[in-house]
Amino acid sequence: MKKNLNDISKHVKNRRKQSKLTQPEMALKAGVGLRFVRDLEQGKETMRVDKINDVLRLFGETLGVVSMNRQKLLENE
């Protein structure tokens, strides 16, 4: 789970920078708090999915279900 969280954090930070937005600007445009944006970009482990989606909507994106190879996951545990 931590790897996926880091992927989301990096993705959001990259998209923000590509859009030439500061963290406060992104927070305002997404309707979330600055603290949330900072926590999201730093990979905080407990984040509200609805708020992550509020941020991602700025870039025309959303979180979704992705199929994975369950057997491979079990083997790696």
Side-chain angles (χ1 to χ4, degrees):
M1 180 66 180
K2 184 69 172 169
K3 181 186 180 311
N4 292 336
L5 202 63
N6 285 334
D7 291 346
I8 293 169
S9 299
K10 288 176 189 175
H11 178 76
V12 168
K13 187 172 186 174
N14 288 336
R15 294 290 286 166
R16 176 180 62 79
K17 288 184 175 191
Q18 288 172 354
S19 299
K20 296 182 175 29
L21 293 170
T22 64
Q23 287 180 335
E25 290 169 337
M26 185 168 76
L28 185 64
K29 288 180 180 281
V32 299
L34 177 57
R35 174 71 180 256
F36 180 84
V37 169
R38 289 181 175 156
D39 287 347
L40 176 59
E41 287 190 1
Q42 291 176 4
K44 182 178 175 188
E45 290 190 25
T46 55
M47 304 293 299
R48 287 183 43 185
V49 172
D50 61 327
K51 288 190 172 209
I52 294 172
N53 277 328
D54 288 342
V55 172
L56 290 174
R57 270 190 212 98
L58 289 175
F59 313 117
E61 301 169 339
T62 188
L63 289 177
V65 177
V66 177
S67 296
M68 299 176 75
N69 184 333
R70 186 172 187 276
Q71 187 61 38
K72 187 175 180 181
L73 288 172
L74 293 174
E75 291 170 3
N76 289 334
E77 288 184 350

